[in-house]
Structure formats: C-alpha cells, structure tokens
Amino acid sequence: MTKLVSFPCGASEEGLDWFATSALFEDAAAFILRHVTDDQAKRAVTAGIASGYVFIGSLPEPDQTNVLTALRDTFAHHVDSEIYPPRVTAGMDDPDIFVTHAKSLAHLAAGSLTSRGPDRSPT
C-alpha cells in the first residue's frame, strides 16, 4: 500500500507530495514525528501515520519549520546511516533506486521551504 507525506507549497499551485511503500513511509514518518514538539500536533501526526499520511502543512509553527529543516538538512544522512546503511544495500539489487527515492524527501522539504518565501524560510 502506498503512503503519503504532503508538504506545504506556499503560493505554488502544484503540490509537493512524496509517496512511499509502508516500510519506507514508517521510517520517514518516525523521523518526522521526532521533530514535532507540540503535544496536540504529535497526536494528530500519530493518527495520520496510522492512516497512511503525514500532512506537514497542518503542523503549527515552529514544528512545521523544524520538520522541514530537519528533513532538508539531516534526512539524507539518516537514509544512509539508518534506513539504507551499507550492510543493507550490499545485498540489494539496484539499491540506488531505493536510496534516491528515500532521499527525494529531503529535496521536497528544501523545495517546500523555498516556496514559503524569505519571510518564513529559516536562515
């Protein structure tokens, strides 16, 4: 079953959505949840994860910015060290396909931050 992480996209009409299989989604969603501090938002994200989605745009500030920044700045390293470390990719056929898709979440987060404009982008 395909699951969804949806990003806020500012004034852009085109949505920024990332789809993944259950296992990869669970890893990404757990990473996202670790960066949410608001208790009510944590409950909402947890409920969304159980249903197969995370809507980052519905997070309150500063959680929204914190999640997007963490995804942009540290998720690629998380992919290499936790989700697809060398001991896992060594036994895979075409691991680059999976690693690239996982890391595309970081690129979407960067695009989402950029689309928010200079008044809401972190420094």
Side-chain angles (χ1 to χ4, degrees), residues 6-119:
S6 183
F7 292 88
C9 52
S12 171
E13 293 296 320
E14 187 174 325
L16 297 173
D17 295 332
W18 183 81
F19 297 92
T21 59
S22 294
L24 181 54
F25 171 82
E26 294 296 329
D27 286 330
F31 180 91
I32 290 167
L33 189 58
R34 283 195 298 274
H35 293 89
V36 176
T37 58
D38 179 85
D39 288 336
Q40 185 174 352
K42 277 187 180 193
R43 288 190 296 276
V45 170
T46 300
I49 291 169
S51 296
Y53 62 84
V54 175
F55 293 126
I56 296 173
S58 67
L59 293 172
E61 289 296 350
D63 284 336
Q64 186 178 131
T65 297
N66 292 343
V67 165
L68 291 170
T69 303
L71 285 168
R72 180 194 64 193
D73 295 347
T74 63
F75 190 71
H77 174 71
H78 180 75
V79 169
D80 289 336
S81 64
E82 301 295 325
I83 299 175
Y84 293 122
R87 71 180 184 283
V88 171
T89 58
M92 296 172 69
D93 292 331
D94 300 318
D96 289 343
I97 294 169
F98 299 98
V99 172
T100 300
H101 178 68
K103 289 181 177 181
S104 69
L105 188 61
H107 296 290
L108 287 172
S112 180
L113 282 165
T114 300
S115 74
R116 293 160 36 134
D119 57 323

